[in-house]
Amino acid sequence: MKIIGVVGLGNMGRGMALSLQRGGFTVLGFDPSPAAARALADAGIGLRASVADLAREADALVLSLPTSQVVEAVVNGADGIAANGREGLVVIDTSTADPASTRALAATLRETGIALVDAPVSGGPKGALNGALTMVLGGSVEDVARVEPVLAAMSAKRVHIGDVGAGHVTKLINNLMCAAHLVVAGEAMRLAEAAGVAPAQVLEGLNAGSGRSGVTQTHYPTWILNNAFDSGFTMKLMRKDVRLAMALAQQTGTLATGPLSAEVGRLWAASAATVGDDEDFNRIVQFIEPGRA
């Protein structure tokens, strides 16, 4: 693995490309946005005019894309990976995506001698830029081992969950839990204020006890208490992930036995009426459903 292509040079893809470059790889990139591409060209990343060009040159392709539909187009399009990638190429999909779509794409690519590893990430743009992401991986033991040096250049922690699709299942569950933690933490801080206790002090107590979570330990001090709300992850993206988790629960027949998860999904969908798609996803802590105030 010497030449790595990155498809999607936005907040996350840009950071991953630069981390790969620091890791000693030759990094090539493609993004349909001229501004995103120029920013990487100035940093010494070799730009290519199409996904096809990357697929022909690279030993591995890292995808940093917003939805399964976009990933499908990049893989299956006439100018895409399946039609142009050479045998032995490994695709590393860092998107948060539909596991069923991921498994179907892996089967399509396998027919052309191309492997797919799903490697959704946590850690945001800062983690991508610093090579400090966390990855949950789906793929064969052999394929994951082949791309381990590539993954190591982008991440500080990697957990191999299982076969293709397992990484995306795990990521959807993770984001569903994060979505739930944000909702309940927002309610808890309103309760603290109503009871006359400062949220910052309540959080200190919670984080010393069993009620703590990533939301109380990281999100509140980093993005919420200071009113920064600049994590780099939007309401639109988190709503998409929660919808995917709800769809997975529906497909597996577990939605009926998960009333709390169903309510979290409903609340995140309802929040669209008053919290815009472009807002930071931590804004959900401020959401009060109309009619309940």
Side-chain angles (χ1 to χ4, degrees), residues 92-284:
I92 303 168
D93 182 12
T94 69
S95 316
T96 300
D98 177 3
S101 172
T102 300
R103 289 166 176 150
L105 291 176
T108 297
L109 289 170
R110 197 176 300 120
E111 293 176 358
T112 64
I114 299 171
L116 186 147
V117 171
D118 47 306
V121 298
S122 298
K126 183 178 179 181
L129 187 60
N130 295 334
L133 295 169
T134 295
M135 292 179 161
V136 284
L137 308 172
S140 72
V141 172
E142 295 78 13
D143 290 336
V144 171
R146 285 173 63 200
V147 294
E148 168 59 21
V150 181
L151 302 176
M154 298 186 289
S155 62
K157 186 173 184 179
R158 297 165 296 288
V159 182
H160 186 190
I161 306 297
D163 206 352
V164 170
H168 281 147
V169 168
T170 304
K171 178 62 173 173
L172 291 182
I173 292 171
N174 177 85
N175 282 16
L176 174 61
M177 293 183 72
C178 180
H181 294 164
L182 280 163
V183 169
V184 74
E187 293 180 1
M189 293 307 104
R190 286 194 291 274
L191 174 59
E193 286 187 300
V197 182
Q201 300 309 116
V202 171
L203 284 166
E204 187 175 347
L206 291 175
N207 290 334
S210 60
R212 66 187 182 275
S213 68
V215 167
T216 63
Q217 291 180 308
T218 301
H219 292 233
Y220 259 89
T222 307
W223 300 301
I224 299 173
L225 283 181
N226 59 7
N227 209 38
F229 293 104
D230 59 356
S231 71
F233 194 69
T234 65
M235 289 291 295
K236 181 179 181 178
L237 288 173
M238 189 56 148
R239 286 191 186 111
K240 180 265 294 183
D241 294 350
V242 172
R243 284 196 303 271
L244 286 174
M246 292 296 99
L248 182 63
Q250 187 73 51
Q251 293 160 13
T252 55
T254 59
L255 189 60
T257 57
L260 180 57
S261 295
E263 180 64 3
V264 169
R266 189 191 70 78
L267 287 169
W268 273 84
S271 71
T274 55
V275 187
D277 276 349
D278 293 335
E279 292 281 358
D280 187 88
F281 82 117
N282 290 290
R283 288 280 184 192
I284 194 69

Side-chain angles (χ1 to χ4, degrees), residues 2-5 20 24-28:
K2 295 181 179 179
I3 302 173
I4 312 301
L20 288 164
F25 294 99
T26 298
V27 183
L28 309 177

